[in-house]
Amino acid sequence: MSALVLHGMVAGDAPTPSDAPPHRKIGVGGLCALVSDARDPTPDGEAADTVSAALFHHQVLTAYCQGADVLPVRFGTAFSSVTALTQEVMATQRQMQEALGRIAGCVENVVSLVATVPSPPRDPVAVKGRAFLSAKRHQRDDRRTRTARRRALAAELANGIEDRAVRTLHLSTKAADGPLMRKAVLVPRKGIVAFADLISSYETSAGTLDLALRLGGPGPCYSFVEPAAWVQPVVCA
């Protein structure tokens, strides 16, 4: 018998979405585990088609989160049998229910504000004397004005997001020239349309400053659920 891959947990009465990829629900207490059969490994021992498996995992969770609260678990979490899965869920049912309670009625969106063109060059045009100093001063003032306007827009947008969010989380980036903003936003499911309208209302202003405003989601609440310590990405005995 193949191992069971655990994708997430939902309440026992959560409806099964019609657009979810093929999977199974295993009831455990008041919860349901969303599972599928593990794919056979390749000859070299690597999991078969990891990218496809990751997309499948995300598709299952995304289908459920549109109409129900879903607790994601780490990609690759698997159990050797239904018995092993049931024992683990029963032992941690309270923690799982509390985690579901923290994201109740919500989905996750990700908002990014990024520059679409490089900043103006720092070196002034090749002139001399007062013209050189004037050109240099003009470029400096342009940079400061542009930066100030971008920051003001980002601050105004952030305030609007906070007003409509249950929680927000800053997503860090390693790039030195990274986005002005990259936030995970926990949004009430009933407020999805209003939140999307808010983001759209800033697109024109962002464009005039050579900024792209991007909205991802709604999707599973990956950023607002701590990686579940009670389920490990291995085949459990």
Side-chain angles (χ1 to χ4, degrees):
M1 179 178 178
S2 63
L4 295 174
V5 176
L6 177 61
H7 303 289
M9 303 295 300
V10 295
D13 59 355
T16 301
S18 60
D19 59 343
H23 68 286
R24 287 186 284 155
K25 295 169 72 175
I26 298 177
V28 184
L31 299 175
C32 269
L34 308 177
V35 304
S36 61
D37 293 329
R39 303 184 182 189
D40 294 331
T42 57
D44 61 4
E46 293 296 324
D49 200 351
T50 302
V51 173
S52 294
L55 289 173
F56 181 91
H57 176 80
H58 178 68
Q59 288 166 355
V60 171
L61 298 174
T62 299
Y64 273 90
C65 79
Q66 306 307 313
D69 300 327
V70 57
L71 178 67
V73 301
R74 278 180 285 185
F75 170 65
T77 298
F79 293 86
S80 60
S81 66
V82 173
T83 299
L85 169 65
T86 300
Q87 290 174 345
E88 188 68 19
V89 174
M90 287 298 295
T92 57
Q93 187 172 8
R94 180 178 61 82
Q95 295 99 312
M96 290 183 175
Q97 288 175 331
E98 289 175 351
L100 278 168
R102 289 192 289 271
I103 59 172
C106 295
V107 290
E108 179 176 325
N109 283 275
V110 175
V111 180
S112 298
L113 186 64
V114 299
T116 57
V117 297
S119 298
R122 290 183 173 273
D123 295 332
V125 293
V127 292
K128 298 180 180 180
R130 292 183 178 179
F132 172 85
L133 296 176
S134 177
K136 187 173 182 179
R137 184 167 53 252
H138 179 71
Q139 286 192 351
R140 180 197 61 199
D141 292 345
D142 280 352
R143 285 196 305 270
R144 288 179 176 175
T145 299
R146 182 187 184 87
T147 298
R149 291 179 62 196
R150 284 180 167 184
R151 288 177 177 172
L153 177 66
E156 182 180 336
L157 175 60
N159 288 335
I161 289 173
E162 292 291 341
D163 288 343
R164 291 162 176 79
V166 175
R167 286 178 59 197
T168 63
L169 180 67
H170 174 70
L171 302 177
S172 62
T173 176
K174 296 181 180 179
D177 57 348
L180 277 75
M181 174 190 296
R182 187 163 182 261
K183 284 180 177 288
V185 187
L186 195 63
V187 179
R189 197 173 286 110
K190 63 183 180 181
I192 290 174
V193 174
F195 186 77
D197 288 344
L198 167 71
I199 302 305
S200 295
S201 70
Y202 281 89
E203 288 180 348
T204 299
S205 297
T208 61
L209 294 173
D210 296 316
L211 297 172
L213 184 55
R214 300 166 183 165
L215 175 64
C221 301
Y222 294 121
S223 302
F224 299 95
V225 176
E226 290 298 321
W230 56 88
V231 284
Q232 299 296 331
V234 295
V235 177
C236 302

